[in-house]
Amino acid sequence: MNSTNFRTALLVFMVLFISSVSLTAQDMDGKTIYPGAVWPDDRGNHIQAHGGGIIKLGATYYWFGEYRAKDNLPEFRYVGCYSSTDLVNWKFLKKIQFSDPENLGAGWVLERPKVYYNNRTKKFVMYMHLDDRSYKFARVGVAVSDKVDGEYKFVKSFRPLGLESRDIGQFIDDDGTSYLVFESRPTRGFYIAKLSDDYLNVAEQTCFISAPLEGGAIVHYNGLYYAIGSALTGWDPNPNKFATAKSLEGPWSEFKDIAPPESKTYGSQSTMLIKVAGSKDTTVIFMGDQWRPSSQWDSRYLWMPVEIGEGKLKLPEPKPWKLNIKTGQVSVENK
Ligand code: GAL
């Protein structure tokens, strides 16, 4: 074994080791994020918000995602809704239940839900990837609620810009403009589309990025937009990549690896980038899923602050870390 192979093997071993550690609520100090570990909510249950998205209202963050608990009833799909003021401790608010809204049949799919708050209509608008078991339906579904953790009423499904849409991502720019990111197989790329005034539709194509990537996540940092996507390998992890652009419309740079490719993004897949702008520092957090396809309820989260700036973005090796939500500063354990 040469030294590169040895380092890779060691890295993979460490990632697997960290992932296998099952911390309980009692073990946790309420300040540290443990990438890849069980992440208990305020009830002590592993958070169910896979393929998730986060919005911030006032000082509170709301995390929505696929609620894939073991005891889910098979005919329904569920979206988990949690709140936090520090991004570490999450309070369970609601398990939002949906019944097959488009007669998609057994094995129907509701994935990657994202919620936007519309200031004009005062409604919470949820986008979701809706599909049948063979992923041919390829549409977004839209559901609306008066309360963040209310009853989301299904409104409609559609193909954004008339295109097949599978993985979706959410991007809210610094000025509040809201975009849907979606992957389209036939055109081998992903789209950034601005939402309509009421958020119930997409108004226009902002950009088409010609790269066969999904799990699209975007952040605006220090005058540059950074987009991350994962290759199309289903539940299996792959080397996620990033590109940059001065404007959302592009042109976008070439895509480059965010982590050593052999680590396959440390066994995770991108879902979102969150920016925490504090009084002293601005931190960007990579939110990824470590999927466990045959025990989805036990899928884990890999959240790590990224090294970002001047056109570069790097996801460091996962280690426990702390975030000061007020100052925006981060400290990573150096064990
Ligand atoms: C992934 C996608 C997931 C899920 C999965 C199904 O590529 O990101 O959200 O759809 O495929 O195989």
Side-chain angles (χ1 to χ4, degrees), residues 203-241:
E204 62 189 37
Q205 175 178 322
T206 305
C207 191
F208 168 64
I209 304 184
S210 174
L213 295 173
E214 61 184 7
I218 298 176
V219 71
H220 187 219
Y221 179 84
N222 242 344
L224 266 187
Y225 291 91
Y226 294 74
I228 291 187
S230 111
L232 312 176
T233 58
W235 300 119
D236 296 333
N238 57 65
N240 291 191
K241 295 186 186 295

Side-chain angles (χ1 to χ4, degrees), residues 154-199:
F154 185 79
V155 180
K156 62 176 175 181
S157 77
F158 66 99
R159 286 193 165 167
L161 309 170
L163 294 159
E164 288 187 16
S165 165
R166 291 186 178 81
D167 276 12
I168 57 167
Q170 166 179 39
F171 176 59
I172 303 173
D173 210 341
D174 300 330
D175 65 359
T177 313
S178 294
Y179 301 86
L180 180 75
V181 179
F182 64 95
E183 183 264 327
S184 198
R185 222 40 73 96
T187 50
R188 289 181 65 77
F190 70 96
Y191 291 82
I192 305 170
K194 192 172 156 215
L195 296 185
S196 61
D197 284 350
D198 60 8
Y199 291 1

Side-chain angles (χ1 to χ4, degrees), residues 28 64 74 94 99 111 132-133 137 168 214 287 313 324:
M28 304 188 127
F64 293 87
K94 197 172 173 77
S99 50
E111 287 176 347
D132 59 283
R133 68 177 333 145
F137 191 64
I168 57 167
E214 61 184 7
M287 270 173 75
L313 187 154
N324 183 324

Side-chain angles (χ1 to χ4, degrees), residues 29-96:
D29 61 4
K31 292 184 185 132
T32 305
I33 291 182
Y34 300 87
V38 164
W39 195 340
D41 63 12
D42 62 318
R43 307 169 300 177
N45 296 345
H46 182 43
I47 293 173
Q48 294 293 328
H50 312 284
I54 287 188
I55 51 168
K56 189 181 181 205
L57 299 172
T60 306
Y61 293 89
Y62 295 93
W63 181 3
F64 293 87
E66 299 159 27
Y67 197 105
R68 292 179 174 270
K70 205 172 180 178
D71 60 357
N72 280 357
L73 296 171
E75 65 269 40
F76 300 111
R77 299 293 171 269
Y78 303 89
V79 173
C81 170
Y82 299 81
S83 71
S84 173
T85 49
D86 60 10
L87 291 173
V88 182
N89 297 284
W90 291 92
K91 181 170 181 238
F92 168 78
L93 294 181
K94 197 172 173 77
K95 178 176 176 181
I96 305 159

